[in-house]
Amino acid sequence: MTSDPRGGDGSGASPAELRARIERTRQELGDTVAELADKADVKSRAQEKAARIKDGATAATHRLTGSTAVRTAAVAGGALLAGALVLRRRGRARVRPHPRRTTPRTGPRAKKTARPLATAGAKARRACRSKGHR
């Protein structure tokens, strides 16, 4: 390869054209380096992606909550849940606990350990009942 002694690249370009090419090449190289730096910055890419997902979710939420059918379904579901809770509570209030045994068990099913507090409570209940209290 031979080079032009005037400093050209053999194409006969003037120095002004060469400077313009060099400047264009520098600009392209700078753009390429900036793109590579953006790809290498994982944190900012993750933040951008999170922002895009958040915006999409917000838009979807606004679309759904603006719908009349969704509001109606939500109100009906809430009313159904409230009704079920009321019925469950009323049903529970009607159930009475099993009556407590006032006399100690005897026989093979009797407990072997003495329970002084339980017998004291039974005595107190019997005393209350004898006075007419319930």
Side-chain angles (χ1 to χ4, degrees):
M1 272 181 144
T2 60
S3 63
D4 191 6
R6 290 177 287 162
D9 62 350
S11 63
S14 69
E17 289 175 3
L18 291 176
R19 285 188 193 104
R21 279 190 209 164
I22 291 171
E23 187 59 36
R24 227 177 307 132
T25 304
R26 283 183 183 159
Q27 185 65 32
E28 290 172 4
L29 184 60
D31 292 343
T32 304
V33 169
E35 288 176 13
L36 289 173
D38 286 342
K39 284 185 178 181
D41 190 7
V42 177
K43 183 178 178 182
S44 66
R45 288 176 61 197
Q47 288 173 344
E48 289 172 4
K49 186 172 183 177
R52 281 195 312 265
I53 291 172
K54 182 179 176 185
D55 291 342
T58 303
T61 302
H62 286 300
R63 280 194 312 268
L64 287 177
T65 56
S67 172
T68 307
V70 171
R71 287 184 190 164
T72 304
V75 169
L80 184 64
L81 180 63
L85 289 175
V86 167
L87 289 175
R88 182 176 177 199
R89 183 142 179 115
R90 288 182 72 197
R92 220 186 261 168
R94 291 182 192 159
V95 174
R96 294 193 177 159
H98 189 272
R100 294 186 184 260
R101 181 179 295 276
T102 56
T103 58
R105 284 189 172 173
T106 58
R109 294 178 59 186
K111 294 197 178 190
K112 303 291 182 193
T113 58
R115 295 177 23 177
L117 291 178
T119 56
K123 287 180 184 176
R125 282 193 296 276
R126 279 195 299 266
C128 269
R129 286 191 190 125
S130 66
K131 292 181 182 176
H133 298 292
R134 188 125 191 157

PDB file of all heavy atoms in Angstrom, residues 66-105:
ATOM      1  N   GLY A  66     -63.265   1.487  36.331  1.00  0.00           N
ATOM      2  CA  GLY A  66     -64.222   2.351  35.669  1.00  0.00           C
ATOM      3  C   GLY A  66     -65.426   1.585  35.136  1.00  0.00           C
ATOM      4  O   GLY A  66     -66.437   2.164  34.795  1.00  0.00           O
ATOM      5  N   SER A  67     -65.353   0.278  35.103  1.00  0.00           N
ATOM      6  CA  SER A  67     -66.415  -0.535  34.542  1.00  0.00           C
ATOM      7  C   SER A  67     -67.578  -0.662  35.525  1.00  0.00           C
ATOM      8  O   SER A  67     -67.390  -0.941  36.704  1.00  0.00           O
ATOM      9  CB  SER A  67     -65.867  -1.919  34.206  1.00  0.00           C
ATOM     10  OG  SER A  67     -66.906  -2.777  33.842  1.00  0.00           O
ATOM     11  N   THR A  68     -68.784  -0.478  35.040  1.00  0.00           N
ATOM     12  CA  THR A  68     -69.976  -0.585  35.879  1.00  0.00           C
ATOM     13  C   THR A  68     -70.203  -2.025  36.329  1.00  0.00           C
ATOM     14  O   THR A  68     -70.616  -2.270  37.465  1.00  0.00           O
ATOM     15  CB  THR A  68     -71.206  -0.088  35.104  1.00  0.00           C
ATOM     16  OG1 THR A  68     -70.928   1.202  34.598  1.00  0.00           O
ATOM     17  CG2 THR A  68     -72.429  -0.018  35.991  1.00  0.00           C
ATOM     18  N   ALA A  69     -69.909  -2.972  35.458  1.00  0.00           N
ATOM     19  CA  ALA A  69     -70.119  -4.382  35.798  1.00  0.00           C
ATOM     20  C   ALA A  69     -69.218  -4.799  36.957  1.00  0.00           C
ATOM     21  O   ALA A  69     -69.639  -5.545  37.847  1.00  0.00           O
ATOM     22  CB  ALA A  69     -69.847  -5.255  34.581  1.00  0.00           C
ATOM     23  N   VAL A  70     -68.008  -4.300  36.979  1.00  0.00           N
ATOM     24  CA  VAL A  70     -67.091  -4.657  38.062  1.00  0.00           C
ATOM     25  C   VAL A  70     -67.575  -4.067  39.380  1.00  0.00           C
ATOM     26  O   VAL A  70     -67.553  -4.720  40.424  1.00  0.00           O
ATOM     27  CB  VAL A  70     -65.658  -4.177  37.734  1.00  0.00           C
ATOM     28  CG1 VAL A  70     -64.743  -4.344  38.920  1.00  0.00           C
ATOM     29  CG2 VAL A  70     -65.123  -4.924  36.541  1.00  0.00           C
ATOM     30  N   ARG A  71     -68.025  -2.830  39.336  1.00  0.00           N
ATOM     31  CA  ARG A  71     -68.548  -2.212  40.563  1.00  0.00           C
ATOM     32  C   ARG A  71     -69.761  -2.971  41.088  1.00  0.00           C
ATOM     33  O   ARG A  71     -69.886  -3.227  42.277  1.00  0.00           O
ATOM     34  CB  ARG A  71     -68.929  -0.764  40.291  1.00  0.00           C
ATOM     35  CG  ARG A  71     -67.758   0.147  40.128  1.00  0.00           C
ATOM     36  CD  ARG A  71     -68.222   1.558  39.955  1.00  0.00           C
ATOM     37  NE  ARG A  71     -67.119   2.407  39.561  1.00  0.00           N
ATOM     38  CZ  ARG A  71     -67.260   3.600  39.057  1.00  0.00           C
ATOM     39  NH1 ARG A  71     -68.460   4.107  38.878  1.00  0.00           N
ATOM     40  NH2 ARG A  71     -66.210   4.312  38.725  1.00  0.00           N
ATOM     41  N   THR A  72     -70.661  -3.340  40.189  1.00  0.00           N
ATOM     42  CA  THR A  72     -71.855  -4.077  40.591  1.00  0.00           C
ATOM     43  C   THR A  72     -71.478  -5.420  41.198  1.00  0.00           C
ATOM     44  O   THR A  72     -72.030  -5.825  42.229  1.00  0.00           O
ATOM     45  CB  THR A  72     -72.768  -4.287  39.375  1.00  0.00           C
ATOM     46  OG1 THR A  72     -73.057  -3.019  38.795  1.00  0.00           O
ATOM     47  CG2 THR A  72     -74.054  -4.961  39.776  1.00  0.00           C
ATOM     48  N   ALA A  73     -70.538  -6.107  40.586  1.00  0.00           N
ATOM     49  CA  ALA A  73     -70.103  -7.403  41.110  1.00  0.00           C
ATOM     50  C   ALA A  73     -69.451  -7.241  42.480  1.00  0.00           C
ATOM     51  O   ALA A  73     -69.662  -8.063  43.377  1.00  0.00           O
ATOM     52  CB  ALA A  73     -69.125  -8.062  40.130  1.00  0.00           C
ATOM     53  N   ALA A  74     -68.679  -6.186  42.674  1.00  0.00           N
ATOM     54  CA  ALA A  74     -68.030  -5.957  43.962  1.00  0.00           C
ATOM     55  C   ALA A  74     -69.062  -5.683  45.053  1.00  0.00           C
ATOM     56  O   ALA A  74     -68.969  -6.208  46.167  1.00  0.00           O
ATOM     57  CB  ALA A  74     -67.042  -4.806  43.860  1.00  0.00           C
ATOM     58  N   VAL A  75     -70.064  -4.881  44.742  1.00  0.00           N
ATOM     59  CA  VAL A  75     -71.113  -4.577  45.727  1.00  0.00           C
ATOM     60  C   VAL A  75     -71.907  -5.834  46.050  1.00  0.00           C
ATOM     61  O   VAL A  75     -72.214  -6.121  47.222  1.00  0.00           O
ATOM     62  CB  VAL A  75     -72.036  -3.447  45.193  1.00  0.00           C
ATOM     63  CG1 VAL A  75     -73.276  -3.308  46.059  1.00  0.00           C
ATOM     64  CG2 VAL A  75     -71.274  -2.139  45.141  1.00  0.00           C
ATOM     65  N   ALA A  76     -72.251  -6.623  45.036  1.00  0.00           N
ATOM     66  CA  ALA A  76     -73.010  -7.859  45.269  1.00  0.00           C
ATOM     67  C   ALA A  76     -72.192  -8.846  46.097  1.00  0.00           C
ATOM     68  O   ALA A  76     -72.727  -9.492  47.013  1.00  0.00           O
ATOM     69  CB  ALA A  76     -73.397  -8.488  43.936  1.00  0.00           C
ATOM     70  N   GLY A  77     -70.912  -8.956  45.811  1.00  0.00           N
ATOM     71  CA  GLY A  77     -70.055  -9.849  46.597  1.00  0.00           C
ATOM     72  C   GLY A  77     -69.953  -9.407  48.041  1.00  0.00           C
ATOM     73  O   GLY A  77     -70.001 -10.223  48.967  1.00  0.00           O
ATOM     74  N   GLY A  78     -69.841  -8.106  48.261  1.00  0.00           N
ATOM     75  CA  GLY A  78     -69.781  -7.594  49.633  1.00  0.00           C
ATOM     76  C   GLY A  78     -71.075  -7.853  50.389  1.00  0.00           C
ATOM     77  O   GLY A  78     -71.060  -8.228  51.566  1.00  0.00           O
ATOM     78  N   ALA A  79     -72.209  -7.649  49.730  1.00  0.00           N
ATOM     79  CA  ALA A  79     -73.498  -7.899  50.374  1.00  0.00           C
ATOM     80  C   ALA A  79     -73.664  -9.378  50.700  1.00  0.00           C
ATOM     81  O   ALA A  79     -74.165  -9.737  51.773  1.00  0.00           O
ATOM     82  CB  ALA A  79     -74.628  -7.427  49.463  1.00  0.00           C
ATOM     83  N   LEU A  80     -73.233 -10.242  49.791  1.00  0.00           N
ATOM     84  CA  LEU A  80     -73.320 -11.682  50.026  1.00  0.00           C
ATOM     85  C   LEU A  80     -72.459 -12.089  51.221  1.00  0.00           C
ATOM     86  O   LEU A  80     -72.889 -12.868  52.073  1.00  0.00           O
ATOM     87  CB  LEU A  80     -72.888 -12.435  48.768  1.00  0.00           C
ATOM     88  CG  LEU A  80     -73.003 -13.956  48.807  1.00  0.00           C
ATOM     89  CD1 LEU A  80     -74.466 -14.349  48.954  1.00  0.00           C
ATOM     90  CD2 LEU A  80     -72.417 -14.554  47.552  1.00  0.00           C
ATOM     91  N   LEU A  81     -71.257 -11.544  51.292  1.00  0.00           N
ATOM     92  CA  LEU A  81     -70.364 -11.850  52.411  1.00  0.00           C
ATOM     93  C   LEU A  81     -70.949 -11.356  53.733  1.00  0.00           C
ATOM     94  O   LEU A  81     -70.926 -12.073  54.740  1.00  0.00           O
ATOM     95  CB  LEU A  81     -68.993 -11.216  52.169  1.00  0.00           C
ATOM     96  CG  LEU A  81     -67.950 -11.438  53.249  1.00  0.00           C
ATOM     97  CD1 LEU A  81     -67.618 -12.924  53.372  1.00  0.00           C
ATOM     98  CD2 LEU A  81     -66.701 -10.642  52.954  1.00  0.00           C
ATOM     99  N   ALA A  82     -71.488 -10.146  53.740  1.00  0.00           N
ATOM    100  CA  ALA A  82     -72.084  -9.610  54.957  1.00  0.00           C
ATOM    101  C   ALA A  82     -73.275 -10.464  55.400  1.00  0.00           C
ATOM    102  O   ALA A  82     -73.438 -10.759  56.596  1.00  0.00           O
ATOM    103  CB  ALA A  82     -72.532  -8.167  54.733  1.00  0.00           C
ATOM    104  N   GLY A  83     -74.110 -10.876  54.448  1.00  0.00           N
ATOM    105  CA  GLY A  83     -75.253 -11.725  54.790  1.00  0.00           C
ATOM    106  C   GLY A  83     -74.815 -13.058  55.367  1.00  0.00           C
ATOM    107  O   GLY A  83     -75.397 -13.562  56.333  1.00  0.00           O
ATOM    108  N   ALA A  84     -73.781 -13.653  54.774  1.00  0.00           N
ATOM    109  CA  ALA A  84     -73.289 -14.937  55.276  1.00  0.00           C
ATOM    110  C   ALA A  84     -72.747 -14.796  56.698  1.00  0.00           C
ATOM    111  O   ALA A  84     -72.980 -15.660  57.550  1.00  0.00           O
ATOM    112  CB  ALA A  84     -72.206 -15.480  54.343  1.00  0.00           C
ATOM    113  N   LEU A  85     -72.055 -13.691  56.962  1.00  0.00           N
ATOM    114  CA  LEU A  85     -71.517 -13.486  58.315  1.00  0.00           C
ATOM    115  C   LEU A  85     -72.642 -13.288  59.332  1.00  0.00           C
ATOM    116  O   LEU A  85     -72.569 -13.795  60.454  1.00  0.00           O
ATOM    117  CB  LEU A  85     -70.570 -12.287  58.327  1.00  0.00           C
ATOM    118  CG  LEU A  85     -69.237 -12.505  57.609  1.00  0.00           C
ATOM    119  CD1 LEU A  85     -68.437 -11.208  57.577  1.00  0.00           C
ATOM    120  CD2 LEU A  85     -68.436 -13.589  58.289  1.00  0.00           C
ATOM    121  N   VAL A  86     -73.684 -12.554  58.948  1.00  0.00           N
ATOM    122  CA  VAL A  86     -74.810 -12.343  59.871  1.00  0.00           C
ATOM    123  C   VAL A  86     -75.501 -13.667  60.168  1.00  0.00           C
ATOM    124  O   VAL A  86     -75.806 -13.985  61.324  1.00  0.00           O
ATOM    125  CB  VAL A  86     -75.802 -11.314  59.277  1.00  0.00           C
ATOM    126  CG1 VAL A  86     -77.116 -11.322  60.045  1.00  0.00           C
ATOM    127  CG2 VAL A  86     -75.185  -9.931  59.297  1.00  0.00           C
ATOM    128  N   LEU A  87     -75.764 -14.463  59.131  1.00  0.00           N
ATOM    129  CA  LEU A  87     -76.418 -15.755  59.351  1.00  0.00           C
ATOM    130  C   LEU A  87     -75.562 -16.680  60.200  1.00  0.00           C
ATOM    131  O   LEU A  87     -76.075 -17.396  61.070  1.00  0.00           O
ATOM    132  CB  LEU A  87     -76.740 -16.425  58.010  1.00  0.00           C
ATOM    133  CG  LEU A  87     -77.857 -15.770  57.212  1.00  0.00           C
ATOM    134  CD1 LEU A  87     -77.997 -16.443  55.867  1.00  0.00           C
ATOM    135  CD2 LEU A  87     -79.156 -15.835  57.991  1.00  0.00           C
ATOM    136  N   ARG A  88     -74.279 -16.661  59.978  1.00  0.00           N
ATOM    137  CA  ARG A  88     -73.381 -17.517  60.765  1.00  0.00           C
ATOM    138  C   ARG A  88     -73.397 -17.104  62.233  1.00  0.00           C
ATOM    139  O   ARG A  88     -73.444 -17.932  63.124  1.00  0.00           O
ATOM    140  CB  ARG A  88     -71.964 -17.420  60.197  1.00  0.00           C
ATOM    141  CG  ARG A  88     -70.991 -18.287  60.888  1.00  0.00           C
ATOM    142  CD  ARG A  88     -69.651 -18.206  60.222  1.00  0.00           C
ATOM    143  NE  ARG A  88     -68.705 -19.005  60.955  1.00  0.00           N
ATOM    144  CZ  ARG A  88     -67.411 -18.886  60.882  1.00  0.00           C
ATOM    145  NH1 ARG A  88     -66.888 -18.003  60.070  1.00  0.00           N
ATOM    146  NH2 ARG A  88     -66.618 -19.639  61.584  1.00  0.00           N
ATOM    147  N   ARG A  89     -73.397 -15.795  62.458  1.00  0.00           N
ATOM    148  CA  ARG A  89     -73.401 -15.306  63.840  1.00  0.00           C
ATOM    149  C   ARG A  89     -74.727 -15.634  64.533  1.00  0.00           C
ATOM    150  O   ARG A  89     -74.738 -16.024  65.690  1.00  0.00           O
ATOM    151  CB  ARG A  89     -73.151 -13.815  63.850  1.00  0.00           C
ATOM    152  CG  ARG A  89     -73.074 -13.223  65.209  1.00  0.00           C
ATOM    153  CD  ARG A  89     -72.020 -12.176  65.236  1.00  0.00           C
ATOM    154  NE  ARG A  89     -71.972 -11.579  66.549  1.00  0.00           N
ATOM    155  CZ  ARG A  89     -70.943 -11.690  67.349  1.00  0.00           C
ATOM    156  NH1 ARG A  89     -69.896 -12.343  66.956  1.00  0.00           N
ATOM    157  NH2 ARG A  89     -70.941 -11.125  68.518  1.00  0.00           N
ATOM    158  N   ARG A  90     -75.838 -15.486  63.827  1.00  0.00           N
ATOM    159  CA  ARG A  90     -77.140 -15.809  64.427  1.00  0.00           C
ATOM    160  C   ARG A  90     -77.241 -17.297  64.725  1.00  0.00           C
ATOM    161  O   ARG A  90     -77.799 -17.692  65.739  1.00  0.00           O
ATOM    162  CB  ARG A  90     -78.266 -15.386  63.489  1.00  0.00           C
ATOM    163  CG  ARG A  90     -78.428 -13.882  63.435  1.00  0.00           C
ATOM    164  CD  ARG A  90     -79.560 -13.495  62.550  1.00  0.00           C
ATOM    165  NE  ARG A  90     -80.815 -13.849  63.214  1.00  0.00           N
ATOM    166  CZ  ARG A  90     -81.970 -13.947  62.593  1.00  0.00           C
ATOM    167  NH1 ARG A  90     -82.040 -13.764  61.301  1.00  0.00           N
ATOM    168  NH2 ARG A  90     -83.051 -14.251  63.255  1.00  0.00           N
ATOM    169  N   GLY A  91     -76.726 -18.123  63.845  1.00  0.00           N
ATOM    170  CA  GLY A  91     -76.759 -19.564  64.067  1.00  0.00           C
ATOM    171  C   GLY A  91     -75.927 -19.961  65.266  1.00  0.00           C
ATOM    172  O   GLY A  91     -76.272 -20.867  66.021  1.00  0.00           O
ATOM    173  N   ARG A  92     -74.814 -19.273  65.473  1.00  0.00           N
ATOM    174  CA  ARG A  92     -73.943 -19.572  66.601  1.00  0.00           C
ATOM    175  C   ARG A  92     -74.598 -19.169  67.924  1.00  0.00           C
ATOM    176  O   ARG A  92     -74.405 -19.816  68.936  1.00  0.00           O
ATOM    177  CB  ARG A  92     -72.635 -18.806  66.431  1.00  0.00           C
ATOM    178  CG  ARG A  92     -71.453 -19.619  66.819  1.00  0.00           C
ATOM    179  CD  ARG A  92     -70.219 -18.817  66.788  1.00  0.00           C
ATOM    180  NE  ARG A  92     -69.497 -19.065  65.555  1.00  0.00           N
ATOM    181  CZ  ARG A  92     -68.494 -18.348  65.125  1.00  0.00           C
ATOM    182  NH1 ARG A  92     -68.114 -17.305  65.810  1.00  0.00           N
ATOM    183  NH2 ARG A  92     -67.887 -18.638  64.012  1.00  0.00           N
ATOM    184  N   ALA A  93     -75.382 -18.092  67.923  1.00  0.00           N
ATOM    185  CA  ALA A  93     -76.018 -17.635  69.156  1.00  0.00           C
ATOM    186  C   ALA A  93     -77.088 -18.614  69.628  1.00  0.00           C
ATOM    187  O   ALA A  93     -77.363 -18.707  70.815  1.00  0.00           O
ATOM    188  CB  ALA A  93     -76.633 -16.250  68.942  1.00  0.00           C
ATOM    189  N   ARG A  94     -77.697 -19.361  68.743  1.00  0.00           N
ATOM    190  CA  ARG A  94     -78.753 -20.291  69.119  1.00  0.00           C
ATOM    191  C   ARG A  94     -78.219 -21.582  69.726  1.00  0.00           C
ATOM    192  O   ARG A  94     -78.924 -22.267  70.433  1.00  0.00           O
ATOM    193  CB  ARG A  94     -79.590 -20.643  67.889  1.00  0.00           C
ATOM    194  CG  ARG A  94     -80.412 -19.491  67.404  1.00  0.00           C
ATOM    195  CD  ARG A  94     -81.246 -19.899  66.246  1.00  0.00           C
ATOM    196  NE  ARG A  94     -81.821 -18.717  65.623  1.00  0.00           N
ATOM    197  CZ  ARG A  94     -82.259 -18.664  64.407  1.00  0.00           C
ATOM    198  NH1 ARG A  94     -82.189 -19.738  63.637  1.00  0.00           N
ATOM    199  NH2 ARG A  94     -82.765 -17.564  63.920  1.00  0.00           N
ATOM    200  N   VAL A  95     -77.005 -21.926  69.427  1.00  0.00           N
ATOM    201  CA  VAL A  95     -76.442 -23.176  69.931  1.00  0.00           C
ATOM    202  C   VAL A  95     -76.094 -22.996  71.394  1.00  0.00           C
ATOM    203  O   VAL A  95     -75.394 -22.068  71.768  1.00  0.00           O
ATOM    204  CB  VAL A  95     -75.179 -23.559  69.118  1.00  0.00           C
ATOM    205  CG1 VAL A  95     -74.509 -24.778  69.721  1.00  0.00           C
ATOM    206  CG2 VAL A  95     -75.553 -23.788  67.679  1.00  0.00           C
ATOM    207  N   ARG A  96     -76.596 -23.905  72.209  1.00  0.00           N
ATOM    208  CA  ARG A  96     -76.300 -23.816  73.641  1.00  0.00           C
ATOM    209  C   ARG A  96     -75.219 -24.820  73.979  1.00  0.00           C
ATOM    210  O   ARG A  96     -75.191 -25.927  73.433  1.00  0.00           O
ATOM    211  CB  ARG A  96     -77.560 -24.113  74.442  1.00  0.00           C
ATOM    212  CG  ARG A  96     -78.583 -23.045  74.208  1.00  0.00           C
ATOM    213  CD  ARG A  96     -79.695 -23.128  75.181  1.00  0.00           C
ATOM    214  NE  ARG A  96     -80.591 -22.014  74.928  1.00  0.00           N
ATOM    215  CZ  ARG A  96     -81.819 -21.983  75.295  1.00  0.00           C
ATOM    216  NH1 ARG A  96     -82.345 -22.987  75.936  1.00  0.00           N
ATOM    217  NH2 ARG A  96     -82.553 -20.926  75.034  1.00  0.00           N
ATOM    218  N   PRO A  97     -74.362 -24.471  74.899  1.00  0.00           N
ATOM    219  CA  PRO A  97     -73.290 -25.400  75.251  1.00  0.00           C
ATOM    220  C   PRO A  97     -73.849 -26.625  75.970  1.00  0.00           C
ATOM    221  O   PRO A  97     -74.930 -26.596  76.556  1.00  0.00           O
ATOM    222  CB  PRO A  97     -72.395 -24.580  76.175  1.00  0.00           C
ATOM    223  CG  PRO A  97     -73.266 -23.505  76.705  1.00  0.00           C
ATOM    224  CD  PRO A  97     -74.289 -23.222  75.641  1.00  0.00           C
ATOM    225  N   HIS A  98     -73.093 -27.677  75.914  1.00  0.00           N
ATOM    226  CA  HIS A  98     -73.472 -28.906  76.589  1.00  0.00           C
ATOM    227  C   HIS A  98     -73.529 -28.642  78.094  1.00  0.00           C
ATOM    228  O   HIS A  98     -72.637 -28.007  78.643  1.00  0.00           O
ATOM    229  CB  HIS A  98     -72.438 -29.998  76.267  1.00  0.00           C
ATOM    230  CG  HIS A  98     -72.861 -31.347  76.731  1.00  0.00           C
ATOM    231  ND1 HIS A  98     -72.593 -31.798  77.983  1.00  0.00           N
ATOM    232  CD2 HIS A  98     -73.546 -32.330  76.101  1.00  0.00           C
ATOM    233  CE1 HIS A  98     -73.083 -33.018  78.109  1.00  0.00           C
ATOM    234  NE2 HIS A  98     -73.659 -33.362  76.982  1.00  0.00           N
ATOM    235  N   PRO A  99     -74.572 -29.130  78.793  1.00  0.00           N
ATOM    236  CA  PRO A  99     -74.654 -28.866  80.240  1.00  0.00           C
ATOM    237  C   PRO A  99     -73.494 -29.522  80.985  1.00  0.00           C
ATOM    238  O   PRO A  99     -73.056 -30.617  80.646  1.00  0.00           O
ATOM    239  CB  PRO A  99     -75.992 -29.483  80.646  1.00  0.00           C
ATOM    240  CG  PRO A  99     -76.326 -30.432  79.554  1.00  0.00           C
ATOM    241  CD  PRO A  99     -75.676 -29.925  78.317  1.00  0.00           C
ATOM    242  N   ARG A 100     -73.027 -28.814  81.970  1.00  0.00           N
ATOM    243  CA  ARG A 100     -71.912 -29.339  82.760  1.00  0.00           C
ATOM    244  C   ARG A 100     -72.398 -30.423  83.709  1.00  0.00           C
ATOM    245  O   ARG A 100     -73.490 -30.357  84.262  1.00  0.00           O
ATOM    246  CB  ARG A 100     -71.259 -28.227  83.558  1.00  0.00           C
ATOM    247  CG  ARG A 100     -70.593 -27.199  82.685  1.00  0.00           C
ATOM    248  CD  ARG A 100     -69.839 -26.223  83.549  1.00  0.00           C
ATOM    249  NE  ARG A 100     -69.273 -25.179  82.731  1.00  0.00           N
ATOM    250  CZ  ARG A 100     -68.005 -25.152  82.340  1.00  0.00           C
ATOM    251  NH1 ARG A 100     -67.198 -26.114  82.708  1.00  0.00           N
ATOM    252  NH2 ARG A 100     -67.562 -24.180  81.601  1.00  0.00           N
ATOM    253  N   ARG A 101     -71.561 -31.382  83.930  1.00  0.00           N
ATOM    254  CA  ARG A 101     -71.881 -32.473  84.849  1.00  0.00           C
ATOM    255  C   ARG A 101     -71.695 -31.954  86.281  1.00  0.00           C
ATOM    256  O   ARG A 101     -70.658 -31.409  86.621  1.00  0.00           O
ATOM    257  CB  ARG A 101     -70.950 -33.646  84.590  1.00  0.00           C
ATOM    258  CG  ARG A 101     -71.204 -34.842  85.481  1.00  0.00           C
ATOM    259  CD  ARG A 101     -70.261 -35.958  85.157  1.00  0.00           C
ATOM    260  NE  ARG A 101     -70.464 -36.492  83.822  1.00  0.00           N
ATOM    261  CZ  ARG A 101     -71.372 -37.406  83.527  1.00  0.00           C
ATOM    262  NH1 ARG A 101     -72.154 -37.881  84.465  1.00  0.00           N
ATOM    263  NH2 ARG A 101     -71.510 -37.848  82.303  1.00  0.00           N
ATOM    264  N   THR A 102     -72.723 -32.119  87.094  1.00  0.00           N
ATOM    265  CA  THR A 102     -72.646 -31.630  88.480  1.00  0.00           C
ATOM    266  C   THR A 102     -72.247 -32.734  89.446  1.00  0.00           C
ATOM    267  O   THR A 102     -71.780 -32.450  90.535  1.00  0.00           O
ATOM    268  CB  THR A 102     -73.993 -31.029  88.917  1.00  0.00           C
ATOM    269  OG1 THR A 102     -75.011 -32.003  88.733  1.00  0.00           O
ATOM    270  CG2 THR A 102     -74.300 -29.794  88.093  1.00  0.00           C
ATOM    271  N   THR A 103     -72.444 -33.954  89.048  1.00  0.00           N
ATOM    272  CA  THR A 103     -72.056 -35.047  89.938  1.00  0.00           C
ATOM    273  C   THR A 103     -70.799 -35.710  89.391  1.00  0.00           C
ATOM    274  O   THR A 103     -70.627 -35.840  88.180  1.00  0.00           O
ATOM    275  CB  THR A 103     -73.179 -36.102  90.036  1.00  0.00           C
ATOM    276  OG1 THR A 103     -73.457 -36.575  88.727  1.00  0.00           O
ATOM    277  CG2 THR A 103     -74.434 -35.496  90.635  1.00  0.00           C
ATOM    278  N   PRO A 104     -69.910 -36.098  90.239  1.00  0.00           N
ATOM    279  CA  PRO A 104     -68.678 -36.732  89.763  1.00  0.00           C
ATOM    280  C   PRO A 104     -68.974 -38.091  89.154  1.00  0.00           C
ATOM    281  O   PRO A 104     -69.909 -38.785  89.546  1.00  0.00           O
ATOM    282  CB  PRO A 104     -67.831 -36.850  91.020  1.00  0.00           C
ATOM    283  CG  PRO A 104     -68.778 -36.771  92.148  1.00  0.00           C
ATOM    284  CD  PRO A 104     -69.947 -35.960  91.694  1.00  0.00           C
ATOM    285  N   ARG A 105     -68.190 -38.459  88.188  1.00  0.00           N
ATOM    286  CA  ARG A 105     -68.353 -39.757  87.538  1.00  0.00           C
ATOM    287  C   ARG A 105     -67.850 -40.870  88.436  1.00  0.00           C
ATOM    288  O   ARG A 105     -66.879 -40.711  89.169  1.00  0.00           O
ATOM    289  CB  ARG A 105     -67.557 -39.803  86.248  1.00  0.00           C
ATOM    290  CG  ARG A 105     -68.199 -39.046  85.133  1.00  0.00           C
ATOM    291  CD  ARG A 105     -67.466 -39.317  83.864  1.00  0.00           C
ATOM    292  NE  ARG A 105     -68.208 -38.727  82.761  1.00  0.00           N
ATOM    293  CZ  ARG A 105     -67.782 -38.675  81.548  1.00  0.00           C
ATOM    294  NH1 ARG A 105     -66.618 -39.194  81.243  1.00  0.00           N
ATOM    295  NH2 ARG A 105     -68.498 -38.133  80.607  1.00  0.00           N
TER     296      ARG A 105
END
